[in-house]
Amino acid sequence: MFADIKQYFESQLPKVEAALDESMNVLKRDWPYDSKAETVHESMRYSLMAGGKRIRPILTLAACEMMGGTEEMAMPTALAAEMIHTMSLIHDDLPCMDNDDLRRGKPTNHKVFGDDIAVLAGDGLLSYSFEYIARYTKGVAPERVLDVIARCGKCVGALGLVGGQVVDIQSEGKKDVTIETLQWIHEHKTAALLEFCVVGGGILGGANEEQIQRLSKFAMNIGLSFQIIDDILDVTQDSATLGKTAGKDLLVDKATYPKLMGLEKSKERAEALIAEAKDQLKPWGDKAAPLMALADFITARKN
Amino acid sequence: MFADIKQYFESQLPKVEAALDESMNVLKRDWPYDSKAETVHESMRYSLMAGGKRIRPILTLAACEMMGGTEEMAMPTALAAEMIHTMSLIHDDLPCMDNDDLRRGKPTNHKVFGDDIAVLAGDGLLSYSFEYIARYTKGVAPERVLDVIARCGKCVGALGLVGGQVVDIQSEGKKDVTIETLQWIHEHKTAALLEFCVVGGGILGGANEEQIQRLSKFAMNIGLSFQIIDDILDVTQDSATLGKTAGKDLLVDKATYPKLMGLEKSKERAEALIAEAKDQLKPWGDKAAPLMALADFITARKN
């Protein structure tokens, strides 16, 4: 049905963009007297609506629909995943972290709003993501929604992207970072949220335990592969193509897959992970076409 | 039963402390292979276990028990409220915000772990708070738990403590801050989370809509009163008594109740709010004794 990934993205992206925009409108519309919260709204909206490939929401929707669920069931969780991703970018870009001035071709949140508002906008997006799942998920048994929220918390926290970012910071500039540590960082900093999208979408669509395991393995593999390719693009592309500062990893002497195992071996590893990932989806046959195409898209992307 | 607030605190505080400690143990015990997440665990635990009056968890438990609910129903939400409070302190203390070195008589999180880890520890606590409610609440209808999570998100976000903190920052040093703006700040920065505790605890214990309205009014009043008294203590107490830097508000020329309406009038306002708050609890008779005593405690406190 959607073997052509371009067609799939063209059908999904405008829906996700419109729903993200609406999620920010809702915040203001429901409590119109609170115009004092304008600045933090603006700051949250600035980063959330700054574009991006929206891979996380699209993965969430695709997983739910592969299970036979509807878009309505998964959309709040899909948007929450993008809010969380945006929060992590805002906080990671701060001067006390990666100190990045440019993100998706635009000044980073703290360059526009200041470091203080940027910290708070991230906090606002993070809390809103959980609120959004809890408040707006329709047509799903509440036990399943609670399961999704619990998994969402784990994928952000000490055993998810926060933990991954901490170990990433601690590894910076170190000469003895192993592949095992690097993999841990990527699994937590990047793959955990992607896994949440696919597994969360699957659970909302009715996945059983065995299906959850398959979805999890699929997503962890594409997540790790996604990050290996990110490492590769950082050394092979320029800033204009990436929409962010290129060559940054080399500059801070960061452990990356290309640095630890070379460019060619890194590409092979990424491709092997994608192949293993796609194996997991065989039981779904043709219904897996969108997720299969998304997996291919991740290996083929240039930014 | 607990008209004596000292006795009430003595019975509740050790339970809350033990449960908070256990909440941090669980994070490590369930995923023991993830020793790499040690630093962020330590940083989260450092601030969460740094003492404090635990007013928020105790309010949550008291509201649930007043409704006829059990401690088990409300404890995860009670702990989540303390995690959120701790997150807000860690982020507010950052150099890019209030730049505080001292909190509860100890160095602030970023002084010990660095600004980057402090931002991430806050994020970790915030996400864990939602996870904790979703994963560990027992004996409550899942629809009610979802309602509690949605309200939790709102009380943190742009229309809660994040919004309050943003307007607080924007008002700093301004000569024309009105009482109306100051009240908005306090209602959002402080009262919203206290309201969540009381209303959340009530919902978990089975409160209906009319009861929720009463609990909300009670909590907003004691929340606003709590902050007025915080303002008063900042100018009347020393750093040793407060366990944090005293006179800080005057130093940065901050709008406070004592500054805008004088010390005496501020005290009167706080007391009037508490009296109105207690009126809301009359329908519960003797069962309201713990919440009544907590309201008195807030007006009488010295730090």
Side-chain angles (χ1 to χ4, degrees), chain B:
Chain B
M1 187 183 178
F2 281 118
D4 179 350
I5 187 66
K6 191 164 169 285
Q7 188 196 345
Y8 187 70
F9 263 86
E10 277 170 6
S11 73
Q12 296 299 79
L13 198 57
K15 281 192 289 194
V16 169
E17 289 290 336
L20 281 170
D21 188 64
E22 176 62 10
S23 76
M24 289 289 106
N25 292 343
V26 161
L27 247 191
K28 292 174 70 170
R29 195 181 51 217
D30 287 4
W31 294 277
Y33 54 91
D34 274 352
S35 61
K36 288 195 175 63
E38 191 62 33
T39 305
V40 69
H41 281 147
E42 266 179 45
S43 175
M44 288 163 67
R45 176 185 284 280
Y46 174 81
S47 291
L48 189 66
M49 302 310 292
K53 292 174 287 291
R54 311 306 192 188
I55 286 174
R56 290 158 192 81
I58 292 175
L59 274 174
T60 311
L61 298 175
C64 181
E65 289 177 356
M66 186 176 77
M67 288 305 312
T70 65
E71 189 179 295
E72 192 193 24
M73 290 172 176
M75 188 61 92
T77 299
L79 304 185
E82 192 69 11
M83 290 174 199
I84 288 166
H85 175 55
T86 303
M87 172 284 293
S88 78
L89 298 180
I90 295 173
H91 283 184
D92 286 2
D93 287 339
L94 286 167
C96 68
M97 300 247 237
D98 294 351
N99 194 19
D100 251 311
D101 295 349
L102 198 63
R103 169 72 67 181
R104 291 172 179 160
K106 294 173 68 177
T108 45
N109 194 292
H110 66 273
K111 295 302 280 183
V112 178
F113 294 93
D115 297 1
D116 46 3
I117 305 296
V119 171
L120 291 162
D123 295 346
L125 282 168
L126 183 53
S127 57
Y128 194 42
S129 69
F130 292 98
E131 178 183 354
Y132 212 79
I133 301 174
R135 203 183 284 282
Y136 299 113
T137 302
K138 303 288 175 216
V140 180
E143 293 84 353
R144 283 195 177 250
V145 182
L146 286 175
D147 186 15
V148 165
I149 290 169
R151 288 168 187 266
C152 186
K154 178 158 183 256
C155 95
V156 179
L159 298 167
L161 52 90
V162 160
Q165 175 71 356
V166 168
V167 179
D168 194 18
I169 289 167
Q170 291 175 329
S171 303
E172 222 163 79
K174 278 194 188 160
K175 297 288 173 205
D176 57 350
V177 177
T178 60
I179 277 281
E180 183 245 337
T181 297
L182 187 59
Q183 181 168 331
W184 195 95
I185 293 169
H186 288 344
E187 278 172 358
H188 289 77
K189 191 175 163 178
T190 306
L193 180 53
L194 294 170
E195 196 235 16
F196 167 69
C197 292
V198 175
V199 169
I203 290 171
L204 293 164
N208 63 28
E209 197 47 51
E210 190 254 331
Q211 291 169 322
I212 289 171
Q213 292 306 319
R214 286 187 169 273
L215 292 173
S216 172
K217 177 97 168 92
F218 166 80
M220 287 306 288
N221 271 24
I222 65 165
L224 184 53
S225 163
F226 184 92
Q227 192 56 50
I228 294 172
I229 290 162
D230 225 49
D231 285 358
I232 294 169
L233 293 174
D234 186 75
V235 288
T236 58
Q237 302 291 322
D238 58 28
S239 299
T241 309
L242 289 178
K244 64 181 177 183
T245 314
K248 184 100 189 171
D249 296 341
L250 277 177
L251 207 68
V252 297
D253 196 23
K254 196 167 190 167
T256 64
Y257 269 79
K259 189 181 158 195
L260 292 188
M261 63 193 320
L263 208 53
E264 272 318 301
K265 276 239 156 35
S266 300
K267 282 179 189 172
E268 284 168 24
R269 179 97 180 91
E271 279 161 22
L273 285 164
I274 295 284
E276 280 173 41
K278 290 163 81 175
D279 269 356
Q280 296 296 321
L281 302 186
K282 280 190 178 154
W284 283 281
D286 287 352
K287 283 189 187 156
L291 281 185
M292 294 281 197
L294 282 162
D296 284 331
F297 169 75
I298 284 169
T299 32
R301 74 199 168 92
K302 294 282 171 277
N303 62 25

Side-chain angles (χ1 to χ4, degrees), chain A residues 239-251:
Chain A
S239 299
T241 309
L242 288 178
K244 63 182 178 183
T245 315
K248 184 100 189 171
D249 296 342
L250 277 176
L251 207 68

